Amino acid sequence: MTGPDSSHTHTDTASPPAWRRPTYELRPQAEGDGRMLEISMGPQHPSTHGVFRMDVMLDGERVVKLKPVFGYLHRNHEKIGESTTYLASMPYTDRLDYFCSLTNNWAYALAVERLAGLQVPERAEYIRVILAELTRLQNHACLGGFLLQDMGASGTPLMYAFREREKILDLFEALTGARMMCNYMRFGGCRCDLPPGWLERARALVAGFPRFLDEFEALLTGNEILMSRTQGVGVLPRELAINASITGPGLRASGVNYDLRKADPYGIYPRFSFRIPLGDHGDVYDRYMMRVLEMRESLKILEQALRDIPDGPIIDPKAKIRGFRPKPGEAYARLEGPKGELGFFLISDGSPNPYRYRVRPPSLINLTVLEDLCLGHHVADVVIILGSVDIVLGEVDR
Amino acid sequence: MDEHLRNELSRQGIFVTTLEELYNWGRKNSLWPLGFGLACCAIEMIATSMARHDLARFGAEVFRPSPRQADLMIVAGTVTKKMAPQVVRLYNQMAEPKYVIAMGACAISGGPFKQGYNVLKGIDRYLPVDVHIPGCPPRPEALLHAFMTLQEKIAAQALTGEQRPRHLRADAPGAFPVPEFGAHDLQPPHNPEVWTPPRLARES
């Protein structure tokens, strides 16, 4: 096995950067004593969240070296994006991070709107915010469920989370016709208007969601087993988080106040009053708590958006569906997805296809610190740490 | 056996069956799937096993992490060329009788990613697929329908004769060759025992 190649810079020098120091010293090894054990976790493993593989070197139960291996779900997303028209890439963005199809749609629509200079009507902006926050709710709820599943709480938290997810998916289905792959945003607006009664259903869901959160937290947050399994495990130092360009709840759990909804506002987020929860330990427990607190903040945004949504058109009348050819140029747009900063970079050469189509996937970049988080911990903690990083392989491998 | 006679006997508290029916009844109601998700469809597969759709009604809620304990492989998602050898190897490790459900457009044909250079154009090129489910992703109801279809298929199998399942045939293979990475593509590109390229019949 070769040396670890998960360093965060491409300029490998003889000594590792100061912010990246191993937290575990190798036990002196006797001559010819094969005490190290190399195991390959994945690609089929019950808790690798898809087809992800980790080559883990163990000293007893402790992780000495961890090498992530991915590419098992490389579906040529960017290449397909460059060979199809702009609009035809919209359904493919659904399948990037298949938990959060609507935020993926929005990020791509933002990039194309910036490229083509389209304006989004007021009502469409509200619909987008509502859908993005609903997506965040279901993503974070499911993350909690999966994290606990990895910890051995087989079934119950995941069942609770999926019960709520089904309610949100019902709303998505009523609006877009699909449960998961919504394909709803269009350049300059949205595809169709809200069906009658949708807002009332959404309000009822938002009003009932805190009850689920209270139940979820009563079950988990103060749970002694959860605390002893997660507190102090997988600590991500603040400097490392910044240097490795971690984004999303994982960054904020380390105490860095950086949320694109506040730091680089897009859409109509400046109109809403909400707070950014911050952690101070950066361990798995903090990352779990970030998700719970963010769900509560998302509910605040949803309440305001569902209260204030105006009537009006839902798509820019200048937006062309057919024969859409933006002027030559390039654009990068990003938003705060549930997993972190999701960005799309597009270069147009005036043809119906983008010349370059690039995704900045939060899952992949958050995954680069996995070895640093896992070194020195038990092998059973690796799955928890991976679960708390919150990856989706469709986005990691693309 | 005559259906009227059986009904009459069961009314009098006598249960009669054949070995074949009992065997199939046991097999079809305890299909344990391999807990193994590839892509987007895996989420719908998990949703199927959750409270609303409740796969446990079909005796199939026990997702086993090990192929040695599983009867059914649900190929849920895109099979890439890097993943295909592992999928075939997992299938080979499962104990007979074993079944395969190809879930979703990607697993049956490559789906929306078919034009991609790294996507296998259907897992049925390497594995004998029992039920195909279209959809991207299929709804949980579609997966339930696939389960019922598979149960019907199992119930129709016989212990002897031409209708007997594959694991009771001495000449049928229990394991299939694992493809390897060749110079350009997986070698072999498909397993001729389970799949042959469709032939276009043109009228001259």
Side-chain angles (χ1 to χ4, degrees):
Chain A
M1 184 170 163
T2 55
D5 58 358
S6 67
S7 61
H8 316 298
T9 52
H10 292 291
T11 54
D12 262 349
T13 49
S15 62
W19 44 265
R20 183 168 178 267
R21 55 178 77 89
T23 53
Y24 183 71
E25 295 287 321
L26 285 187
R27 209 191 303 165
Q29 220 175 338
E31 190 75 24
D33 177 15
R35 209 185 278 154
M36 296 288 174
L37 179 68
E38 189 185 341
I39 57 169
S40 166
M41 296 173 73
Q44 185 262 335
H45 187 276
S47 59
T48 53
H49 296 245
V51 281
F52 179 59
R53 187 173 130 210
M54 292 173 279
D55 283 340
V56 189
M57 187 83 87
L58 295 177
D59 179 6
E61 284 266 324
R62 303 264 166 195
V63 177
V64 190
K65 202 175 352 176
L66 187 145
K67 185 182 168 203
V69 184
F70 30 76
Y72 288 98
L73 194 54
H74 175 54
R75 298 193 281 197
N76 334 113
H77 181 89
E78 294 180 359
K79 202 68 200 162
I80 291 176
E82 284 159 20
S83 60
T84 51
T85 59
Y86 285 88
L87 186 59
S89 288
M90 187 62 89
Y92 286 99
T93 61
D94 287 335
R95 289 156 181 82
L96 263 180
D97 171 358
Y98 32 80
F99 266 108
C100 325
S101 63
L102 284 159
T103 45
N104 300 344
N105 280 182
W106 192 7
Y108 180 56
L110 268 182
V112 178
E113 281 154 12
R114 191 164 289 175
L115 190 65
L118 296 172
Q119 295 299 318
V120 182
E122 190 89 335
R123 184 173 172 84
E125 291 277 24
Y126 272 93
I127 295 175
R128 287 179 174 191
V129 167
I130 291 169
L131 292 177
E133 296 305 321
L134 284 175
T135 304
R136 197 180 313 274
L137 285 183
Q138 58 109 350
N139 178 70
H140 285 357
C142 289
L143 172 97
F146 281 122
L147 182 61
L148 269 290
Q149 175 98 345
D150 292 349
M151 231 174 277
S154 179
T156 311
L158 190 61
M159 289 241 183
Y160 282 18
F162 265 74
R163 185 189 63 200
E164 297 307 309
R165 180 175 182 265
E166 291 285 343
K167 292 179 190 166
I168 296 175
L169 291 195
D170 281 349
L171 286 178
F172 289 171
E173 193 182 358
L175 175 59
T176 70
R179 282 158 53 87
M180 282 171 69
M181 306 305 176
C182 296
N183 183 17
Y184 178 66
M185 311 274 175
R186 289 290 176 266
F187 313 135
C190 300
R191 195 180 72 204
C192 51
D193 206 349
L194 302 174
W198 196 88
L199 283 173
E200 284 70 40
R201 286 174 67 188
R203 283 186 196 116
L205 183 130
V206 170
F209 207 83
R211 197 163 151 261
F212 157 72
L213 278 181
D214 293 341
E215 186 186 29
F216 202 66
E217 280 211 87
L219 187 66
L220 301 172
T221 301
N223 188 308
E224 205 173 317
I225 303 172
L226 178 94
M227 283 153 83
S228 64
R229 280 300 300 279
T230 56
Q231 290 187 345
V233 171
V235 175
L236 177 63
R238 188 188 152 92
E239 292 72 35
L240 174 59
I242 294 171
N243 283 332
S245 72
I246 305 298
T247 48
L251 176 71
R252 295 190 285 276
S254 301
V256 184
N257 189 357
Y258 180 75
D259 186 316
L260 286 176
R261 290 174 291 175
K262 295 274 192 194
D264 179 17
Y266 52 93
I268 51 166
Y269 272 109
R271 294 185 198 177
F272 302 115
S273 89
F274 61 102
R275 295 185 301 171
I276 305 297
L278 292 179
D280 44 15
H281 298 96
D283 54 3
V284 174
Y285 188 77
D286 273 14
R287 287 197 281 278
Y288 157 75
M289 278 311 292
M290 280 310 103
R291 267 77 185 214
V292 175
L293 295 172
E294 277 192 14
M295 279 195 269
R296 295 198 186 273
E297 296 302 317
S298 287
L299 288 174
K300 284 187 199 166
I301 301 176
L302 277 170
E303 278 168 12
Q304 298 168 45
L306 288 168
R307 186 191 61 210
D308 299 340
I309 180 167
D311 286 332
I314 53 155
I315 194 157
D316 185 355
K318 280 190 291 183
K320 283 167 73 179
I321 298 291
R322 297 188 197 287
F324 179 73
R325 290 162 180 266
K327 289 193 194 76
E330 59 182 60
Y332 178 70
R334 55 187 185 166
L335 56 71
E336 183 71 30
K339 296 186 167 59
E341 174 185 331
L342 175 66
F344 279 85
F345 178 66
L346 297 168
I347 298 179
S348 166
D349 57 356
S351 65
N353 305 348
Y355 174 75
R356 180 78 175 98
Y357 173 101
R358 158 84 187 150
V359 189
R360 187 245 188 241
S363 294
L364 172 66
I365 294 170
N366 291 354
L367 198 57
T368 51
V369 288
L370 186 65
E371 187 184 17
D372 303 75
L373 298 182
C374 291
L375 283 183
H377 287 297
H378 290 285
V379 65
D381 292 334
V382 170
V383 290
I384 304 177
I385 294 169
L386 179 70
S388 74
V389 171
D390 192 10
I391 58 163
V392 158
L393 262 291
E395 195 175 64
V396 171
D397 293 336
R398 301 192 296 289
Chain B
M1 185 176 182
D2 183 40
E3 201 62 30
H4 294 292
L5 179 59
R6 176 191 292 205
N7 288 346
E8 183 59 34
L9 284 173
S10 70
R11 211 169 291 136
Q12 297 178 17
I14 302 167
F15 173 67
V16 286
T17 185
T18 59
L19 190 61
E20 190 175 281
E21 280 181 25
L22 190 67
Y23 180 66
N24 286 344
W25 174 81
R27 279 194 305 148
K28 81 175 191 187
N29 288 312
S30 66
L31 285 169
W32 287 5
L34 181 60
F36 159 59
L38 289 172
C40 331
C41 292
I43 309 298
E44 288 293 63
M45 182 174 81
I46 295 167
T48 315
S49 67
M50 290 296 147
R52 182 188 274 187
H53 300 285
D54 197 12
L55 198 54
R57 291 176 293 160
F58 299 86
E61 82 281 15
V62 197
F63 278 85
R64 303 310 297 177
S66 164
R68 304 283 184 201
Q69 304 164 348
D71 309 307
L72 168 67
M73 174 188 259
I74 304 177
V75 185
T78 316
V79 188
T80 59
K81 287 178 183 168
K82 187 166 178 176
M83 193 62 199
Q86 337 288 343
V87 176
V88 178
R89 196 169 288 133
L90 282 171
Y91 179 81
N92 288 346
Q93 288 174 353
M94 285 164 60
E96 291 279 8
K98 52 190 175 184
Y99 304 94
V100 180
I101 290 180
M103 180 181 184
C106 292
I108 65 181
S109 71
F113 299 96
K114 186 166 187 165
Q115 52 178 314
Y117 49 85
N118 195 32
V119 176
L120 188 71
K121 281 126 192 93
I123 192 59
D124 52 2
R125 294 184 181 219
Y126 293 113
L127 295 181
V129 177
D130 292 287
V131 184
H132 295 78
I133 324 174
C136 188
R139 297 175 57 87
E141 289 89 338
L143 184 57
L144 293 180
H145 183 236
F147 262 100
M148 296 194 292
T149 312
L150 184 61
Q151 287 184 334
E152 281 167 20
K153 185 172 178 173
I154 294 172
Q157 286 174 337
L159 285 181
T160 52
E162 272 308 298
Q163 289 296 312
R164 67 189 194 277
R166 201 184 63 237
H167 64 277
L168 294 178
R169 294 170 189 265
D171 55 333
F176 290 95
V178 178
E180 290 177 352
F181 297 112
H184 302 292
D185 201 349
L186 286 173
Q187 288 298 333
H190 60 88
N191 183 356
E193 284 179 38
V194 294
W195 190 82
T196 44
R199 288 183 59 198
L200 288 178
R202 290 209 176 89
E203 291 177 14
S204 56

